Amino acid sequence: MRTLLIALAVAAMAAPGAARDRNQIPEATPAGKPESCIQLNRIRQSHVRSDQVIDFEMQGGKVYRNTLPQSCPGLGFEESFSYKTSLSQLCSVDIITVLQSPPTIRGASCGLGQFQPVTLAKKAKR
């Protein structure tokens, strides 16, 4: 069986010209039981919220919040990470590595937590 290695660099980007409060993590309400893995081909986008929180937006609009068991130094500042897996899933046993730039260099490596399906609070209009 051929081993499939997948490395994906994921960067969350703020809207152009939008002011962003790095310390603001959107409120989220659990929407089901936590899951150990999510399908890689269903991930549409990721949003790094802090050194310990990443939201994964899936095809179809479902959102999974991953709260890392430990703070991952530099993750919230860089808002970019990579991972490798031999499966078609990203799981709570996998390790992410912070990508620092410029130039792109590897930073801290940290374990993921469970993937909690959530409903994010609507943003207030200004």
Side-chain angles (χ1 to χ4, degrees), residues 26-84:
E27 289 186 33
T29 304
K33 294 181 181 180
E35 298 180 25
S36 295
C37 301
I38 57 175
Q39 295 294 318
L40 289 174
N41 64 354
R42 306 262 318 140
I43 299 172
R44 194 175 101 191
Q45 205 171 18
S46 68
H47 304 279
V48 175
R49 305 296 189 184
S50 70
D51 282 351
Q52 201 168 359
V53 176
I54 305 169
D55 287 339
F56 291 90
E57 185 180 334
M58 310 300 282
Q59 291 176 4
K62 193 168 191 174
V63 176
Y64 288 91
R65 175 159 288 178
N66 193 292
T67 302
L68 284 58
Q70 305 291 324
S71 181
C72 193
L75 180 62
F77 179 77
E78 297 293 342
E79 297 183 331
S80 182
F81 63 91
S82 67
Y83 56 84
K84 288 184 183 179

